[in-house]
Amino acid sequence: MLTRPDRATIVTLLAPPTVWALHFLTAYILAAIACAKGWDLGSVRLVIAAATAAALVFIALAARAAHRHTGFTADMPPHDDPTRGARMRQMGAATFLVAALSFVAVIFTSLPAVFIPDCR
């Protein structure tokens, strides 16, 4: 059975890619519906921008929490000792890297809303 800190670390590991996936689905489904129904793309772009900002803030908070778990200031990787502390630092490092990747993925997901002018 997992202890409470392990659950928090697993949740922080899974949160950034989940937020990216939800952002991806929201942006592309909303754009598809807007193009099919003939909605104003300016307002759709604003909704996608707001969703992007919210996703980036959430991922940045997860990265901050992960950075606290890494202990980079006290102990540099590799964290391969069979101890609870090393395991937590390794999970923190993995979560930080996943959060960084998810942050970039959210930015790339929102770029079509910026550069594609219409629904052709």
Side-chain angles (χ1 to χ4, degrees), residues 26-45 47-48 118-119:
T26 300
Y28 280 86
I29 289 173
L30 183 62
I33 292 171
C35 286
K37 301 261 184 184
W39 293 349
D40 177 39
L41 290 182
S43 60
V44 172
R45 284 189 179 105
V47 171
I48 291 173
D118 57 11
C119 293

Side-chain angles (χ1 to χ4, degrees), residues 2-80:
L2 296 173
T3 62
R4 194 151 186 77
D6 288 335
R7 284 187 194 152
T9 306
I10 289 171
V11 168
T12 56
L13 177 67
L14 296 177
T18 302
V19 169
W20 166 69
L22 291 174
H23 176 269
F24 182 89
L25 288 173
T26 300
Y28 280 86
I29 289 173
L30 183 62
I33 292 171
C35 286
K37 301 261 184 184
W39 293 349
D40 177 39
L41 290 182
S43 60
V44 172
R45 284 189 179 105
L46 288 176
V47 171
I48 291 173
T52 300
L56 291 176
V57 166
F58 187 83
I59 291 171
L61 290 174
R64 183 173 162 224
H67 192 267
R68 283 196 309 257
H69 284 291
T70 60
F72 277 150
T73 56
D75 187 21
M76 294 300 286
H79 305 296
D80 55 358

